[in-house]
Amino acid sequence: MAETTKNSIIEASSRLMAIKGVKETSLSDIAKEVNISKGTLYYHYSSKDDIIYDIADLHLNKITNELLKLIENFKDQSTPEALLVVVFEKILSAEMRGKLHLYLLGDAMMGNESLKQRFKEKYGEWRSTLEKGIRLIFIDHDTSYELLAQIFLAMLDGFLIQKMIGMDDELPLEGVAQFLSQKKK
């Protein structure tokens, strides 16, 4: 029962923060959304920061796991360009998660040092995951896998920002995938 309540708190908090923003979402809002008392909420989470940390961990782990699954499932079945487009589209398709990611990232950049540290650690994991995936996708390319992973991570963040401001139709995912997949001569 406690785990179910905690999951409900995380789900409701994620929803509210994606809609209202991290700073504008209060513990009272969360308790009301979950239909529990503030005392019950405090039993599970002593502060809003604790909720944010759990949301960030859940969110960042989910993205990392999705990247790994996509790469593993498609590596032998498609071209590098097609795989890249699938990865880009999958990550960009989860609008609520994208909004939440940007809100949490903004909070980390605006002074939440604990959240900032968690993002630094998770981005390190993402780079490593991407590098492993890139090695599987671009087996016969003469390239710096580490550098390419860094570029992918920056592109994904950039694409996410552009999508969130309504530039979905202008994202050249296929063109970028084709460009990145070209073998050096």
Side-chain angles (χ1 to χ4, degrees), residues 39-84:
T40 301
L41 179 63
Y42 284 117
Y43 171 78
H44 293 283
Y45 289 100
S46 61
S47 71
K48 189 164 91 171
D49 280 346
D50 290 340
I51 296 172
I52 291 169
Y53 298 146
D54 276 2
I55 291 171
D57 277 345
L58 181 71
H59 165 69
L60 297 173
N61 287 332
K62 190 171 190 176
I63 291 173
T64 301
N65 291 334
E66 284 181 8
L67 276 174
L68 285 172
K69 283 180 189 174
L70 279 171
I71 291 167
E72 282 298 318
N73 289 337
F74 288 97
K75 73 176 182 180
D76 297 328
Q77 301 171 12
S78 61
T79 64
E81 301 91 45
L83 179 55
L84 289 175

Side-chain angles (χ1 to χ4, degrees), residues 18 59 63 91-105 160-161 163-164:
H59 165 69
I63 291 173
I91 290 172
L92 297 173
S93 68
E95 188 169 332
M96 182 180 291
R97 193 173 59 218
K99 285 181 182 179
L100 184 58
H101 177 78
L102 292 178
Y103 280 125
L104 292 171
L105 195 54
L160 179 60
I161 290 167
K163 180 180 177 10
M164 291 295 111

